[in-house]
Amino acid sequence: GATPAWPHSIVTALFPASASQAEIESGLAALIPASELRFAALADRDWQADWQAPLKPQRFGERLWVLPDNAPEPGDKSVFVRLQPGLAFGTGEHPTTAMCLRWLEERQLAGLQVLDYGCGTALLAIAALALGATEATAVDIDPQALDAARANAENNHCESRLRVAAVADVAPGEQYDVLVANILSGTLIELAPRLATHLRSGAGVALTGVLAQQADLVIAAWQRYAELTISEQVDDWVLLSGYTH
């Protein structure tokens, strides 16, 4: 009964090789004309290895590197995070992740506590720790993201300083010095009052997952809690950053 978002939609579904094409066609007959159905056999591969193969060492700012597991350590005074992407968002490839990493790299994080809300792989939280933060909490609603976050924390030997938590496990009174949230604009607007309760006065805030045309709405939703401006834009994506009142 919902209004469709687009006039036409393509739905792709995966079935076991043993599935009956005739049974699938029969089950969908009332919804989709048979002439619009397409079937194809998909050869099995190591999908995760295929996904990880293109990952290359990436530098963010002057000294922060994100490295695949098999890459050598950078020299000089660089700091680095080793990444196993798993099934969660956050490899540094997307502009929103890259902007957050550059923002963190420019901060003085020594002695601070960081909240990475909507953490995905926990790349941002682990990068904050590598850059000097004392402790970080990585929060997500997706169990697969939490699994990936724990694996990456162990891989970077920071599991004693990184707390991986579901949303329900973050107590109302917990407060932090820095918030990074790479989610979506609607969620950032909806969660503004809740996230603000977790931030100390003067806390640094970096919000993204926001398109340029959505920036004003997010800034307005946060104006009671923080003074935010567009600090970087890559393609259509923007990073909103500032400090709490």
Side-chain angles (χ1 to χ4, degrees):
T3 302
W6 301 275
H8 303 283
S9 298
I10 298 174
V11 178
T12 302
L14 299 177
F15 297 90
S18 58
S20 164
Q21 179 174 324
E23 289 181 359
I24 295 169
E25 289 177 332
S26 175
L28 293 173
L31 299 173
I32 303 172
S35 62
E36 296 184 7
L37 296 174
R38 302 287 184 272
F39 291 86
L42 189 65
D44 198 15
R45 303 206 306 268
D46 186 340
W47 300 104
Q48 184 159 321
D50 282 359
W51 182 25
Q52 292 179 2
L55 294 179
K56 307 295 182 187
Q58 302 172 85
R59 189 176 75 178
F60 300 92
E62 295 297 321
R63 58 198 173 107
L64 176 63
W65 288 82
V66 176
L67 306 176
D69 268 349
N70 58 355
E73 295 183 11
D76 56 57
K77 297 181 180 179
S78 297
V79 297
F80 62 91
V81 175
R82 289 204 179 275
L83 190 65
Q84 296 174 320
L87 297 174
F89 177 81
T91 64
E93 301 280 347
H94 196 275
T96 58
T97 310
M99 288 190 291
C100 282
L101 288 168
R102 285 191 287 269
W103 184 85
L104 286 169
E105 194 270 344
E106 294 170 357
R107 310 269 81 72
Q108 293 294 329
L109 299 177
L112 301 184
Q113 294 177 307
V114 176
L115 176 61
D116 178 1
Y117 205 92
C119 65
T121 61
L123 172 57
L124 300 179
I126 295 170
L129 293 172
L131 290 163
T134 301
E135 296 176 331
T137 296
V139 178
D140 210 292
I141 61 172
D142 183 354
Q144 288 183 329
L146 299 179
D147 288 343
R150 293 185 188 97
N152 282 320
E154 184 175 350
N155 198 37
N156 286 276
H157 311 293
C158 63
E159 60 268 37
S160 64
R161 295 190 294 141
L162 177 62
R163 173 187 168 211
V164 178
V167 171
D169 296 330
V170 181
E174 293 183 27
Q175 289 198 313
Y176 296 84
D177 305 296
V178 176
L179 167 69
V180 284
N182 182 6
I183 317 176
L184 290 171
S185 62
T187 308
L188 291 170
I189 291 169
E190 178 185 348
L191 292 181
R194 181 193 302 177
L195 291 175
T197 65
H198 294 301
L199 298 175
R200 298 185 175 102
S201 178
V205 178
L207 309 178
T208 190
V210 179
L211 294 168
Q213 63 266 32
Q214 301 166 336
D216 288 345
L217 292 174
V218 179
I219 290 171
W222 276 79
Q223 66 183 356
R224 288 182 54 196
Y225 317 108
E227 190 73 28
L228 301 179
T229 59
I230 297 175
S231 55
E232 187 176 356
Q233 178 169 351
V234 178
D235 300 327
D236 292 331
W237 300 99
V238 296
L239 177 71
L240 307 179
S241 66
Y243 296 91
T244 54
H245 302 313

